[in-house]
Amino acid sequence: MASKLKGGKTPPRLFEDLSFYNPQCLLPNSYNILTEAALQFDTSATQKPSRKLVKKGCRHKWALKSEQCDHIELDFRPDLSSLYTAAALCILCRCHVELTIDFKGEGAGVVPCPKEVAPLHHFIYSRNEHCGLFWVQEGVNAGSWMDTQRFSCSSPSCSARLTIRMRSPIITSEWEALLLDRSLIKSRAQKAISDEPSRFEGHAVPSPIEVIGNLRTYIRNAMTSHEERRIPSNNKKWLLCFGEPCADLLNHIGFTRTEDGWFPPRPDVSATIPLTSPLNILLNDVENELAVLLNLQPDNERHMAKVHVALHPAMTEFERILGSKGYKRSTASRTVDLTQEDQEPEHPFYAGLGSTMDFHDELICFTYERQIACDAENSAYYLECLQGIAEGRGSEDLQTKVAIEASSGKFSVRDLREAYQSLGLDMRSLFYDDDTVIGSFQSRIADAPRQEPDLRRALYMIGEHRKSMRIQHVASNDVKTYEQALSWLGATDDMVDEFLVSMYGVKVHESPTNEELARQCMVLIAEQRKSTGLKAWLETGQLGEMEMDFGQAYTRLGIGDRTIDDDLVITSYNINMQETPSQIKDLKRALAAIAKSRNSFYLQSFLDSSASERKVSEWPVGLENIGNTCYLNSLLQFYFTVKPLRDLVLNFDQYKMQLDDSAFYKKQVGSRKVSKKEVERAQRFVYELQKLFQSMITIPDDKVTPEQELARLTLISASGEESFRRKSILSTHRPSLGDINGQPVFGPLPASPDVVASVDTVMSNNGILNPDDSCATNPRSEEDVSSDDTLVETPALDIKADNDLMILDSVEKKQQQGQLAEDKENFTPTIMEIPHSKTPDRALGPIVELSPLRADTEEHPQSPPKESNGEQSPSELTARTVIAFPAPPNRPPPVPPRKKPDESKRAIQQEVEIGAQQDVTEVIANVLFQLQCAIRPENIDESGEQIDQIKTLFFAKQKSYITNDRGEIRSNEEFVSDIKVDVASGPRDIYAALDGAFDVQEVEVGGSLEPQYAAISQLPPVLQILVQRAQFDPETKRPFKSNNHLELKETIYMDRYMDSSDTDLAQRRQACWAWKKDLAKLDARKIELTETEMNMDIPAVLSSTAEYLRQCSNDKSDNPIEVEPELLASLEKASSNAGAELSEIEKQIKKLSTNIKSQFADLRELPYRLHSVFIHRGMVNSGHYWIYIYDFVNSMWRKYNDGYVTEVTEPKIIFEAEQSTRPATPYFLVYVRDDLKSDLVESVCRDVAEVQRSQEDTVMADDETGAKELLKWSQDLQPAEGRTQAVDDLWGSGGQANQAHFW
């Protein structure tokens, strides 16, 4: 099947096609002779070459409209400032055409065509939104159609852009009848005579020539006379020729009716040529159309009326402005018969090359070269065109050109057809695959070995035509590239190295003579992949280290669910890195395999950023997640980079509020008095923050663990703390299982009495605490508190008696598995979800017979025991002990003694857990409030508010204005710590979001709506912007998170939002508000026209309806549906009107959007640079936070994800929308003043000596003694008598649990 040509056209070809172009007659998806390249001509088919004219089309003959032409001077070559226009109308159909060529484009434009290397322009169609046919809705041409098409010259050194506009005639067929139909003229004249017979005595009915001539005279006088003359309403000539029936025509062309007559149009009589005024152009068009109508009248009548109108052909002017005047022609071109006698004189091959049949051979070669350069995909057809013209003309020069092209490896469609035929194939078939083609080639060679060279050439030609590297390689029998090597072996890029070795063996076995070629393929693949395994195989015959399979990679990292997001994959990787740092190389191979299988740029960036070992002293530290504190960590990282705040915290004693200070009792923060207790609490918070900041500066490690006390004081406000204390008095405590590293471990909530009674209390004699058992303690290890896996218990969850631990068993896990991936901040993970890289053979132990939580759990086959290599990790011992468990006994073990938990620590942890669920804004407000409470004021404002370093650094002053119905303006000024924006209605950029906070809006005051807007009266150095993504769905009555994209900008300019007395700024704002109001109306109307239940816009619905009814009316069945023609016409007209309205709406929307975006573009006095972006992934009440912070010193973005700080190598992940159903989205933004950024923020602040990191694997025990006790416990455990010893070993002689046994 022939592909569509994409070549260009020379000016003569363009003129030829323009003469057949009738845009109003085009059908949807039909061939456009002007804009599209010629159709391919199949010489093997039975079709005859033809021009394929559009039905009812006109073969235009153009007459020049010289008054509208911008003529090119004789012998003047265009330069980079040239622009020329030629206008004409068809003397047959009276449609108008305008050609404009502009050399002011953005191309090289050094030497515009024509020139020696490019004797003619070669125009390529340049379609854009302004191209095509549309109906004019307003202005002097309202109601007419206009078609616009654009082209550009393909020459690299020519910037010429050609625009062709075609317009419908001004004088419609109805108006033409009024001017030419003798019966209508007679009717008008007789009415005038019958109304006043005495006055018109002796006057005859005017002829059409007189009517047209008189109208043309009126127009000519109007365009040349400065004097305005009225035509009396009783003017005899006027009444005889025109009268009332011509009123619409006269109004359309500019005549104005008054009570006592008509006034001719009032054009600009001083206008110069070319005409530019719409009215002048309209009148000139009408005058030229009248001249055409005069020339169509019989010669004898024109001779009698002495009317002689000269119409000048436009082709000469067209050729001059497009540089084709006097192009080199072939005198013999029209004497050579390329076709049959009954065919048209021009062969389609000329149109294929964008030329005409009178082109000289040199121009034929030029057009061939340009077509090849612009449309290499169809080079075979263009060479066939060249072949056909060369043979038809018998031209030696063209035949030489064809031979040169063939010698360079090019082929024509004719050659390709013969190549297929030589292999017994049909070129037009679409069902051949590569195997079929190659098989046919090989069978032909077997039958005719002597024809192998010719057959290989044919096969190579077919391979190039099909763009099949495999066929080309078989044809050439040579391999030089990686792709060729894969193709020759019959392999693909995703095949692993082991499979490639197998493919090599198959190839060599099939054809031993190809062994050397097969080996060369393996060498190329090994080099391209940088595969040490393949290189080792080439040298030794044995595979070396191979790329890890992605299935093995997931297993190696202990990941069971392959659908988890990239952040959790990195979390699992980091956990394994902490446990076994000596296996870093193997772990990186696993992560690389997963990154490749997912095609994950994020994972690959993590690998790249972690590949280089950075000095601890030159890189920020991470903050460990201590339980649902990912947002807290992001906030602390941001505050640490703010130099003035960091200096204040580190030198807190210099700023500390003295409690005995007399000014304390007047201290007012946030428009309220603060108590001494609040100040004391705030100062404890600052001291805790100081300890953290000091540790972040001096610690010889890459991460720090924040204190629980700091988390509590940050996340819980003083009022929230008191509320929690009151609730804790009434709450039922869970039983304590002791503590680990000072942090309490809680057991399950007590079961209800009825549940306890229903469970048999007979228990196993060997009831040792098993981590896999539902009766185990909290299933979390220290490693689980990692970068993205910030999973904590949620005290608010309703824990049922039959589900006493927050471990989801099989059924519940399946139901909540999808939710857990997003709610990792609010749900405890199942045991199977927590990576255990050190115990890949974990299996469930025997199910306790009466355990309500394990009743539905399936038993899994247990792995065979591994051979011991000496020391064993505790987790391995635990897993093996589980396998060795005997059947459940009949009696429960004695309850071991337990240390009473520290109630204060438990209370702190519970407070932190609840505080971590607080709203983002509440946490930020709490931090800033406590910082202000802790320090002494620098000043007091008129309202009594404390002015201090924090207020000056972070708080803006915002002023709001409300105007009542009497025009009175009220204002209110207040401090705000952030600007709140939202993206509820859809994606938008940062300016559009900020506009929503300051634009005028109507608010209800006292039962009436009053306009209100806001402005900033004082900007802070650090500008904080909160993105309000939490929305409420009124239908479901539930909150949800809006994930609409917010387009960030590295620099924003705040000038437009400032409170100013500048009248120009006020006028700009008001104009912008008016545009937005209009834009909202247009958007609403566009939705009405485009959104229907049929998934079609209204114009398409109406058009389809009309077409359906038309088909029904043409139905040849016995009961056809009768459809009134007026209905079809009304539907078509309505469709056209709706389409025009929709087009105009889109045009207005684009214009208004451009106006809004550019309204303040020149205001750039207050630049702010983007410093921090808080990111959230998840749902409205759950998910995970991290932060991106820009380092202005080192010009880089870093990602702070709890304990891990990595470089962002591709900032587009911050600024571009993530293609996901639940994407990571910005929640909080921080911009800093551009001129102060070096004083305001500093990303790296470290003062530590470099420490050599240990590469030894982590032993999962507190000390050697604990590991030995655990080992002894597993060895001494026996089915009958081992229970007491096991319990003693577990709890130790002192009755306190060994920490190594807990998560």
Side-chain angles (χ1 to χ4, degrees):
M1 183 176 180
S3 61
K4 188 175 181 179
L5 300 180
K6 303 172 186 176
K9 301 179 181 182
T10 58
R13 176 79 266 155
L14 209 57
F15 298 149
E16 180 72 12
D17 291 346
L18 181 62
S19 65
F20 289 97
Y21 185 51
N22 292 276
Q24 198 178 15
C25 299
L26 288 176
L27 297 176
N29 302 319
S30 63
Y31 174 65
N32 189 318
I33 192 173
L34 180 66
T35 63
E36 297 183 47
L39 299 172
Q40 284 202 33
F41 173 64
D42 187 357
T43 56
S44 65
T46 56
Q47 70 176 34
K48 300 178 182 180
S50 67
R51 295 294 299 155
K52 288 185 177 288
L53 291 179
V54 180
K55 188 178 180 180
K56 298 182 181 179
C58 170
R59 177 67 186 267
H60 302 299
K61 294 182 180 180
W62 303 112
L64 191 67
K65 298 189 295 184
S66 58
E67 292 86 353
Q68 299 180 37
C69 295
D70 188 0
H71 301 278
I72 184 173
E73 298 179 12
L74 293 175
D75 300 327
F76 180 79
R77 287 191 59 81
D79 54 29
L80 298 184
S81 63
S82 300
L83 186 148
Y84 304 111
T85 300
L89 83 163
C90 176
I91 62 175
L92 301 177
C93 66
R94 291 183 288 105
C95 68
H96 300 262
V97 69
E98 178 184 281
L99 276 63
T100 301
I101 185 165
D102 182 3
F103 294 90
K104 303 175 183 179
E106 298 178 356
V110 178
V111 184
C113 302
K115 51 198 170 189
E116 184 176 356
V117 295
L120 289 173
H121 288 293
H122 182 259
F123 290 111
I124 299 291
Y125 182 53
S126 303
R127 181 174 181 83
N128 60 33
E129 59 186 9
H130 301 293
C131 292
L133 179 70
F134 65 93
W135 291 88
V136 182
Q137 300 298 314
E138 56 186 19
V140 296
N141 292 315
S144 62
W145 58 261
M146 177 178 290
D147 181 79
T148 303
Q149 307 296 349
R150 302 180 189 276
F151 304 81
S152 59
C153 183
S154 68
S155 174
S157 61
C158 180
S159 61
R161 294 179 297 181
L162 173 65
T163 302
I164 299 178
R165 294 185 179 89
M166 188 175 288
R167 291 183 283 108
S168 60
I170 305 299
I171 301 175
T172 64
S173 57
E174 180 183 353
W175 290 341
E176 179 184 349
L178 289 174
L179 299 177
L180 297 181
D181 191 316
R182 296 179 184 274
S183 61
L184 294 178
I185 296 174
K186 182 178 179 181
S187 175
R188 295 197 301 268
Q190 287 179 344
K191 183 180 184 309
I193 294 172
S194 62
D195 288 343
E196 298 180 81
S198 59
R199 188 163 175 265
F200 285 93
E201 185 177 356
H203 287 77
V205 175
S207 67
I209 290 182
E210 291 179 284
V211 174
I212 297 172
N214 289 335
L215 181 57
R216 188 164 179 259
T217 300
Y218 284 129
I219 293 174
R220 171 61 64 180
N221 290 339
M223 295 185 67
T224 56
S225 175
H226 290 272
E227 183 180 354
E228 184 177 9
R229 296 181 178 180
R230 179 178 60 85
I231 304 171
S233 57
N234 60 352
N235 183 283
K236 296 180 182 179
K237 183 188 297 183
W238 181 266
L239 292 174
L240 291 173
C241 291
F242 308 109
E244 186 62 29
C246 295
D248 288 343
L249 168 61
L250 298 171
N251 285 325
H252 183 76
I253 62 178
F255 283 81
T256 306
R257 172 184 257 171
T258 62
E259 293 181 357
D260 55 352
W262 288 80
F263 281 94
R266 299 179 178 85
D268 182 4
V269 296
S270 61
T272 57
I273 295 176
L275 300 176
T276 57
S277 168
L279 180 57
N280 286 58
I281 294 175
L282 172 69
L283 294 176
N284 183 251
D285 286 344
V286 173
E287 183 184 0
N288 281 285
E289 287 188 33
L290 293 174
V292 168
L293 292 177
L294 282 173
N295 271 351
L296 293 177
Q297 301 309 305
D299 292 341
N300 60 333
E301 292 187 15
R302 286 191 287 116
H303 180 72
M304 291 177 59
K306 297 182 181 180
V307 174
H308 301 284
V309 179
L311 297 175
H312 302 285
M315 190 55 63
T316 300
E317 189 65 22
F318 286 175
E319 291 178 341
R320 288 186 62 206
I321 69 167
L322 296 191
S324 61
K325 177 70 173 173
Y327 66 87
K328 198 170 184 179
R329 290 174 167 83
S330 172
T331 56
S333 62
R334 295 187 180 276
T335 64
V336 179
D337 182 16
L338 296 178
T339 64
Q340 300 292 333
E341 290 183 0
D342 58 342
Q343 293 173 334
E344 296 183 9
E346 184 182 71
H347 197 279
F349 283 160
Y350 287 106
L353 293 182
S355 62
T356 56
M357 65 180 302
D358 63 345
F359 270 30
H360 191 274
D361 289 351
E362 294 178 6
L363 289 182
I364 294 293
C365 292
F366 162 72
T367 56
Y368 167 76
E369 295 289 349
R370 293 311 308 154
Q371 298 291 64
I372 293 293
C374 298
D375 186 16
E377 179 182 354
N378 291 299
S379 58
Y381 178 72
Y382 297 128
L383 183 55
E384 182 176 31
C385 293
L386 186 65
Q387 279 180 332
I389 294 173
E391 293 171 1
R393 288 188 174 187
S395 168
E396 293 184 5
D397 292 340
L398 294 182
Q399 290 175 352
T400 300
K401 177 67 174 177
V402 171
I404 293 173
E405 293 296 284
S407 65
S408 64
K410 296 179 181 178
F411 53 86
S412 67
V413 174
R414 181 195 305 175
D415 301 330
L416 186 62
R417 188 181 301 110
E418 293 172 355
Y420 274 95
Q421 291 172 353
S422 68
L423 297 184
L425 303 173
D426 185 355
M427 188 181 77
R428 291 171 293 185
S429 175
L430 301 176
F431 303 103
Y432 298 141
D433 57 16
D434 288 358
D435 290 332
T436 302
V437 175
I438 294 173
S440 179
F441 162 75
Q442 291 173 342
S443 64
R444 289 284 172 147
I445 287 183
D447 294 339
R450 294 184 180 180
Q451 297 180 14
E452 180 175 350
D454 294 335
L455 291 173
R456 285 196 180 277
R457 281 194 294 271
L459 182 65
Y460 188 87
M461 199 179 300
I462 293 172
E464 190 169 329
H465 171 248
R466 295 167 61 97
K467 294 181 175 58
S468 170
M469 298 299 295
R470 184 184 173 199
I471 293 178
Q472 293 180 49
H473 303 156
V474 172
S476 62
N477 206 29
D478 188 20
V479 176
K480 295 182 179 179
T481 67
Y482 171 70
E483 290 77 12
Q484 291 174 351
L486 289 174
S487 178
W488 193 89
L489 289 174
T492 58
D493 185 53
D494 58 351
M495 287 184 178
V496 297
D497 291 351
E498 295 98 325
F499 195 79
L500 291 176
V501 173
S502 300
M503 296 293 291
Y504 167 86
V506 171
K507 283 289 185 181
V508 173
H509 177 74
E510 290 178 349
S511 179
T513 57
N514 287 329
E515 180 177 2
E516 187 61 34
L517 186 59
R519 188 173 182 82
Q520 176 62 26
C521 291
M522 298 298 285
V523 171
L524 288 169
I525 294 172
E527 291 294 334
Q528 174 69 23
R529 293 188 173 186
K530 296 180 175 58
S531 171
T532 56
L534 287 181
K535 290 179 180 178
W537 176 82
L538 288 167
E539 295 176 1
T540 66
Q542 299 293 326
L543 282 169
E545 181 181 308
M546 306 299 295
E547 181 181 281
M548 188 178 293
D549 177 73
F550 70 90
Q552 297 173 339
Y554 280 107
T555 302
R556 179 65 184 85
L557 295 183
I559 300 174
D561 182 7
R562 299 184 184 182
T563 63
I564 63 174
D565 60 25
D566 289 351
D567 288 320
L568 289 180
V569 172
I570 292 177
T571 296
S572 181
Y573 168 82
N574 287 324
I575 291 173
N576 283 274
M577 283 283 292
Q578 290 176 359
E579 292 182 358
T580 56
S582 62
Q583 299 180 24
I584 181 173
K585 186 175 181 181
D586 193 46
L587 294 171
K588 283 187 175 181
R589 288 178 59 228
L591 186 59
I594 295 175
K596 182 177 180 181
S597 69
R598 293 185 171 203
N599 193 25
S600 171
F601 172 80
Y602 177 50
L603 291 180
Q604 190 59 51
S605 298
F606 177 83
L607 278 169
D608 295 341
S609 63
S610 61
S612 58
E613 291 294 335
R614 300 185 178 91
K615 292 183 179 180
V616 175
S617 60
E618 298 176 356
W619 199 254
V621 298
L623 297 178
E624 290 278 22
N625 193 311
I626 59 174
N628 201 15
T629 57
C630 57
Y631 175 73
L632 170 65
N633 289 342
S634 300
L635 192 64
L636 294 175
Q637 289 283 15
F638 157 60
Y639 284 139
F640 180 77
T641 63
V642 182
K643 288 173 65 177
L645 174 60
R646 186 175 65 216
D647 293 342
L648 182 150
V649 171
L650 294 174
N651 303 285
F652 175 55
D653 290 337
Q654 300 178 18
Y655 304 93
K656 182 178 178 182
M657 178 78 187
Q658 300 302 318
L659 299 182
D660 57 354
D661 193 336
S662 59
F664 165 75
Y665 299 101
K666 298 180 181 179
K667 189 177 182 72
Q668 179 175 310
V669 177
S671 302
R672 72 173 181 84
K673 301 290 185 181
V674 294
S675 66
K676 181 178 180 180
K677 186 176 181 180
E678 287 179 306
V679 174
E680 291 174 339
R681 184 184 192 277
Q683 292 181 350
R684 290 201 310 273
F685 161 71
V686 179
Y687 278 125
E688 290 292 333
L689 189 60
Q690 184 184 75
K691 286 194 297 183
L692 176 68
F693 281 6
Q694 289 171 344
S695 182
M696 292 173 71
I697 294 172
T698 61
I699 189 171
D701 203 347
D702 59 357
K703 60 189 68 175
V704 176
T705 302
E707 295 289 339
Q708 288 274 354
E709 178 68 7
L710 174 61
R712 184 181 70 85
L713 293 171
T714 306
L715 296 172
I716 301 292
S717 64
S719 58
E721 185 178 73
E722 290 301 322
S723 175
F724 174 79
R725 298 298 184 197
R726 289 192 295 271
K727 291 180 181 178
S728 66
I729 296 174
L730 303 176
S731 64
T732 301
H733 294 298
R734 290 175 289 174
S736 172
L737 299 181
D739 65 290
I740 300 176
N741 294 333
Q743 298 184 20
V745 177
F746 301 106
L749 288 173
S752 60
D754 57 333
V755 175
V756 173
S758 66
V759 178
D760 194 342
T761 57
V762 178
M763 299 180 66
S764 169
N765 290 329
N766 294 331
I768 307 301
L769 289 176
N770 180 1
D772 283 347
D773 201 327
S774 64
C775 297
T777 58
N778 188 353
R780 293 189 62 198
S781 64
E782 292 181 8
E783 307 94 275
D784 294 332
V785 186
S786 58
S787 175
D788 283 359
D789 197 14
T790 51
L791 301 160
V792 298
E793 297 180 27
T794 304
L797 288 177
D798 184 15
I799 306 175
K800 305 295 182 183
D802 60 347
N803 190 12
D804 52 2
L805 273 182
M806 296 172 65
I807 301 176
L808 302 177
D809 283 316
S810 58
V811 175
E812 292 170 332
K813 177 180 177 182
K814 291 176 182 177
Q815 293 174 347
Q816 297 190 16
Q817 188 174 18
Q819 189 175 3
L820 282 173
E822 289 293 352
D823 293 3
K824 56 182 180 295
E825 287 298 334
N826 293 336
F827 289 89
T828 302
T830 65
I831 290 178
M832 298 305 293
E833 286 177 327
I834 301 176
H836 295 285
S837 60
K838 296 182 68 174
T839 58
D841 298 329
R842 289 181 72 93
L844 291 176
I847 302 176
V848 178
E849 183 178 7
L850 299 175
S851 171
L853 290 183
R854 293 297 178 184
D856 297 328
T857 306
E858 297 180 0
E859 294 190 26
H860 296 277
Q862 299 172 356
S863 302
K866 300 178 181 178
E867 295 185 5
S868 174
N869 58 352
E871 296 187 7
Q872 297 170 317
S873 69
S875 58
E876 290 171 342
L877 290 171
T878 303
R880 188 167 302 177
T881 303
V882 171
I883 296 171
F885 275 175
N890 295 323
R891 289 183 302 163
V895 179
R898 308 186 183 187
K899 182 181 179 180
K900 185 177 180 180
D902 188 336
E903 294 296 331
S904 63
K905 291 181 179 179
R906 177 165 61 185
I908 290 175
Q909 184 182 32
Q910 290 176 332
E911 285 189 69
V912 170
E913 289 175 351
I914 293 180
Q917 308 300 326
Q918 298 301 307
D919 185 79
V920 171
T921 54
E922 294 177 5
V923 178
I924 297 175
N926 184 39
V927 170
L928 296 180
F929 175 76
Q930 292 192 93
L931 287 170
Q932 288 188 271
C933 287
I935 63 177
R936 61 177 179 268
E938 291 183 320
N939 198 0
I940 303 294
D941 71 2
E942 61 277 4
S943 66
E945 181 74 9
Q946 170 176 310
I947 306 299
D948 50 46
Q949 291 87 346
I950 302 301
K951 185 78 74 175
T952 305
L953 191 61
F954 293 103
F955 284 76
K957 272 190 176 182
Q958 183 171 300
K959 199 169 186 179
S960 58
Y961 294 88
I962 299 179
T963 306
N964 60 23
D965 53 5
R966 297 185 300 276
E968 298 171 346
I969 300 176
R970 307 188 307 277
S971 64
N972 179 53
E973 188 175 46
E974 61 180 349
F975 282 105
V976 292
S977 60
D978 55 53
I979 300 174
K980 294 176 176 58
V981 302
D982 72 72
V983 289
S985 59
R988 61 189 59 186
D989 65 13
I990 184 64
Y991 281 124
L994 287 170
D995 288 349
F998 297 100
D999 282 353
V1000 67
Q1001 55 186 322
E1002 291 185 336
V1003 296
E1004 186 173 353
V1005 179
S1008 62
L1009 295 178
E1010 298 180 355
Q1012 172 186 293
Y1013 72 93
I1016 300 175
S1017 55
Q1018 178 179 305
L1019 275 170
V1022 179
L1023 180 65
Q1024 301 179 125
I1025 301 174
L1026 174 65
V1027 185
Q1028 295 178 307
R1029 293 190 175 274
Q1031 306 293 329
F1032 184 77
D1033 189 338
E1035 295 183 1
T1036 63
K1037 308 298 183 183
R1038 293 182 179 179
F1040 70 96
K1041 176 191 173 187
S1042 171
N1043 286 317
N1044 289 322
H1045 176 58
L1046 178 62
E1047 180 186 339
L1048 306 181
K1049 297 185 181 299
E1050 292 188 13
T1051 304
I1052 60 174
Y1053 299 90
M1054 299 299 293
D1055 309 61
R1056 67 187 70 182
Y1057 305 114
M1058 298 305 295
D1059 186 37
S1060 172
S1061 58
D1062 185 1
T1063 56
D1064 176 64
L1065 181 59
Q1067 291 173 358
R1068 291 194 193 194
R1069 285 175 178 163
Q1070 292 171 0
C1072 199
W1073 296 338
W1075 291 335
K1076 290 179 180 179
K1077 188 174 182 180
D1078 293 341
L1079 187 59
K1081 294 179 180 178
L1082 291 171
D1083 284 333
R1085 179 56 178 163
K1086 182 179 179 180
I1087 290 174
E1088 292 177 355
L1089 292 174
T1090 56
E1091 296 185 5
T1092 65
E1093 296 180 357
M1094 301 175 65
N1095 294 325
M1096 301 167 62
D1097 59 26
I1098 294 297
V1101 170
L1102 294 171
S1103 178
S1104 299
T1105 303
E1107 181 61 28
Y1108 174 75
L1109 293 176
R1110 185 178 292 106
Q1111 293 175 2
C1112 292
S1113 64
N1114 295 332
D1115 189 4
K1116 303 301 182 181
S1117 61
D1118 296 336
N1119 298 311
I1121 299 175
E1122 295 184 4
V1123 180
E1124 294 293 335
E1126 293 79 5
L1127 175 59
L1128 295 177
S1130 298
L1131 287 172
E1132 291 290 356
K1133 184 176 181 181
S1135 174
S1136 176
N1137 292 340
E1141 182 184 2
L1142 185 58
S1143 176
E1144 181 62 23
I1145 286 175
E1146 291 175 345
K1147 178 181 177 182
Q1148 290 299 320
I1149 288 176
K1150 182 178 180 181
K1151 179 181 178 181
L1152 288 174
S1153 299
T1154 302
N1155 289 345
I1156 292 170
K1157 287 185 178 181
S1158 61
Q1159 180 73 338
F1160 305 99
D1162 59 321
L1163 302 181
R1164 293 173 172 259
E1165 296 296 324
L1166 297 174
Y1168 274 69
R1169 291 288 300 277
L1170 183 61
H1171 171 255
S1172 303
V1173 182
F1174 289 70
I1175 299 292
H1176 176 265
R1177 183 195 298 280
M1179 297 181 293
V1180 67
N1181 55 1
S1182 62
H1184 179 61
Y1185 283 96
W1186 65 89
I1187 185 174
Y1188 295 107
I1189 298 179
Y1190 188 70
D1191 185 342
F1192 290 103
V1193 175
N1194 297 300
S1195 300
M1196 71 166 66
W1197 282 97
R1198 293 186 183 90
K1199 179 180 181 180
Y1200 298 72
N1201 192 350
D1202 287 337
Y1204 302 96
V1205 182
T1206 55
E1207 180 181 354
V1208 179
T1209 56
E1210 284 291 339
K1212 67 180 182 181
I1213 65 175
I1214 305 173
F1215 293 92
E1216 295 182 2
E1218 179 182 328
Q1219 302 303 316
S1220 171
T1221 55
R1222 286 185 179 172
T1225 52
Y1227 236 98
F1228 196 75
L1229 314 172
V1230 180
Y1231 284 83
V1232 296
R1233 269 183 55 174
D1234 185 51
D1235 58 333
L1236 299 178
K1237 59 181 180 291
S1238 59
D1239 298 323
L1240 291 172
V1241 289
E1242 181 183 41
S1243 296
V1244 182
C1245 180
R1246 303 281 269 136
D1247 185 13
V1248 61
E1250 198 71 27
V1251 177
Q1252 181 67 31
R1253 293 175 178 267
S1254 172
Q1255 291 294 319
E1256 297 180 359
D1257 291 356
T1258 303
V1259 178
M1260 295 304 295
D1262 287 346
D1263 50 34
E1264 184 179 358
T1265 303
K1268 289 181 178 179
E1269 288 179 353
L1270 186 61
L1271 180 61
K1272 183 176 184 298
W1273 168 67
S1274 65
Q1275 291 173 343
D1276 293 343
L1277 185 60
Q1278 298 297 331
E1281 65 272 18
R1283 176 178 54 81
T1284 303
Q1285 180 63 41
V1287 173
D1288 290 342
D1289 285 341
L1290 176 64
W1291 289 101
S1293 59
Q1296 181 173 347
N1298 293 322
Q1299 294 177 6
H1301 298 213
F1302 291 91
W1303 294 101

